[in-house]
């Protein structure tokens, strides 16, 4: 797999420098600071990648599209490592409806634009700072593209070959995976991430459009995604007459009891 993560960033930085030289929009050191903060976040995210939630509490709601809940159910997952093994033992309690839907786009271990195995990512500082969880944060936007298998941990990882978020004909992002990141202005640690996905599918599985908001906790220079809130719509076209079925949903998840497993690296085959 060609890792274009750094390529996209380099192109963007060069473009910014050229733009700055032309219109004098920002001093050189300001651009360097923006890049340095992103790199800090990258290092923290990389060092935190092997943190696994021992407990996942999930509430799944179906709504009328206006926020009114029509159906609700809950699931509890306990995640442990099998002795001297690369696989995880996952005990499930409650309704698995939410898990079946989530399996379309994630295994529950949050994917960030800092993953080294992402096909390509491009980011920019918005020139906006916000207070999030009593911390001053710098707001960045990003778009990314990755292999369809990447969001799912598999110790015998194999590429799917389909790059989500990428227009092959244009050799550029197709705009279906975008997001916003709030980075602590001092440490660079991600505090909040909002990702928007438009996952087209022409089969009976339907098309997913969703917005996922993640809040991170920080401890000992590590970050963990402790609160995850997803709002989405599943659109299924059924039958020869093309009848459309819409399901509006919310998935509210809390993750806790994190532990380290060095074998958990998305996009890489486990080394025994």
């Amino acid at each position: 797999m060609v890792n274009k993560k750094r390529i996209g960033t380099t192109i963007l930085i060069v473009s910014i420098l050229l733009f700055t030289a032309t219109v004098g929009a920002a001093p050189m050191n300001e651009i360097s600071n923006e890049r340095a903060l992103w790199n800090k976040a990258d290092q923290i995210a990389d060092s935190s990648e092997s943190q696994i939630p021992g407990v996942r509490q999930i509430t799944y709601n179906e709504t009328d599209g206006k926020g009114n809940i029509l159906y609700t159910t809950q699931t509890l997952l306990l995640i442990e490592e099998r002795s001297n093994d690369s696989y995880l033992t996952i005990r499930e309690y409650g309704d698995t409806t939410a898990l079946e839907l989530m399996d379309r786009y994630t295994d529950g271990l949050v994917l960030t634009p800092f993953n080294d195995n992402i096909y390509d990512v491009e980011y920019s500082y918005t020139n906006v700072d916000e207070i999030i969880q009593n911390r001053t944060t710098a707001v960045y936007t990003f778009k990314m593209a990755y292999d369809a298998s990447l969001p799912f941990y598999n110790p015998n990882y194999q590429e799917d070959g389909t790059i989500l978020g990428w227009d092959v004909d244009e050799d550029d992002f197709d705009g279906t995976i975008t997001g916003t990141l709030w980075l602590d202005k001092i440490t660079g640690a991600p505090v909040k991430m909002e990702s928007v996905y438009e996952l087209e599918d022409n089969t009976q599985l339907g098309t997913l459009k969703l917005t996922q908001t993640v809040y991170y906790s920080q401890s000992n220079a590590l970050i963990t995604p402790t609160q995850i809130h997803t709002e989405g719509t599943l659109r299924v076209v059924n039958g020869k007459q093309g009848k459309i079925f819409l399901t509006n949903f919310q998935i509210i998840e809390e993750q806790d009891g994190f532990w380290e497993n060095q074998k958990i690296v998305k996009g890489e085959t486990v080394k025994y």
Side-chain angles (χ1 to χ4, degrees):
M1 177 174 67
V2 177
N3 183 354
K4 299 183 64 178
K5 176 181 176 183
R6 305 302 179 194
I7 297 175
T9 302
T10 302
I11 292 173
L12 178 66
I13 294 298
V14 171
S15 299
I16 292 176
L17 290 173
L18 292 174
F19 180 79
T20 301
T22 303
V23 301
M28 184 74 71
N29 64 337
E30 182 177 340
I31 294 174
S32 298
N33 289 340
E34 294 164 10
R35 183 178 182 181
L37 193 65
W38 181 272
N39 289 341
K40 282 185 178 180
D42 193 349
Q43 293 173 1
I44 294 171
D46 285 348
S47 64
S48 306
E49 189 176 9
S50 59
Q51 295 297 308
I52 306 299
V55 181
R56 295 175 58 194
Q57 301 181 66
I58 303 170
T59 298
Y60 171 75
N61 300 323
E62 289 187 2
T63 73
D64 60 1
K66 300 178 182 179
N68 300 308
I69 297 176
L70 305 176
Y71 168 78
T72 186
T73 187
Q74 293 183 323
T75 307
L76 174 66
L77 280 78
L78 303 180
I79 305 175
E80 301 171 340
E81 182 182 24
R82 296 199 306 206
S83 180
N84 298 320
D85 204 338
S86 59
Y87 289 89
L88 300 176
T89 297
I90 302 177
R91 289 182 283 167
E92 302 176 1
Y93 302 91
D95 196 331
T96 61
T97 303
L99 300 179
E100 293 167 0
L101 180 59
M102 292 170 69
D103 283 346
R104 290 281 307 281
Y105 61 93
T106 180
D107 59 9
L109 306 181
V110 177
L111 182 69
T112 75
F114 302 115
N115 185 286
D116 288 334
N117 296 302
I118 283 179
Y119 183 77
D120 201 356
V121 63
E122 187 174 279
Y123 68 88
S124 62
Y125 174 51
T126 64
N127 291 309
V128 173
D129 295 342
E130 292 184 6
I131 303 296
I132 303 292
Q133 297 182 332
N134 297 319
R135 298 162 73 178
T136 301
T137 65
V139 184
Y140 288 73
T141 57
F142 65 87
K143 46 190 172 182
M144 61 180 176
Y146 53 77
D147 188 272
S149 292
L150 188 60
F152 306 93
Y153 168 68
N154 185 340
N156 302 310
Y157 179 78
Q158 290 185 338
E159 295 178 357
D160 179 276
T162 300
I163 305 299
L164 302 178
W166 194 255
D167 186 321
V168 177
D169 294 332
E170 296 293 331
D171 195 29
D172 199 358
F173 299 97
D174 63 13
T176 60
I177 304 176
T178 60
T180 306
L181 263 169
W182 288 258
L183 306 181
D184 186 294
K185 288 208 70 173
I186 297 176
T187 66
V191 177
K192 176 183 175 182
M193 180 176 69
E194 182 176 281
S195 303
V196 180
Y197 299 85
E198 296 186 20
L199 305 177
E200 298 283 345
D201 195 312
N202 295 321
T203 71
Q204 61 182 1
L205 295 176
T207 296
L208 268 178
K209 292 186 178 181
L210 53 90
T211 300
Q212 184 180 75
T213 303
V214 181
Y215 287 93
Y216 292 89
S217 295
Q218 184 178 12
S219 178
N220 298 324
L222 298 174
I223 56 165
T224 51
T226 50
Q227 298 179 48
I228 307 168
H229 189 123
T230 304
E231 296 267 357
T233 300
L234 174 62
R235 180 178 182 272
V236 179
V237 180
N238 192 32
K240 294 182 179 180
Q241 296 180 350
K243 188 174 182 179
I244 297 175
F245 295 91
L246 289 178
T247 301
N248 298 289
F249 63 89
Q250 302 170 343
I251 300 176
I252 302 167
E253 178 172 355
E254 294 185 4
Q255 297 188 353
D256 201 356
F258 285 84
W259 53 281
E260 185 176 27
N261 186 329
Q262 290 288 350
K263 296 177 180 178
I264 305 295
V265 180
K266 287 183 181 291
E268 293 183 7
T269 301
V270 168
K271 298 177 181 178
Y272 296 92

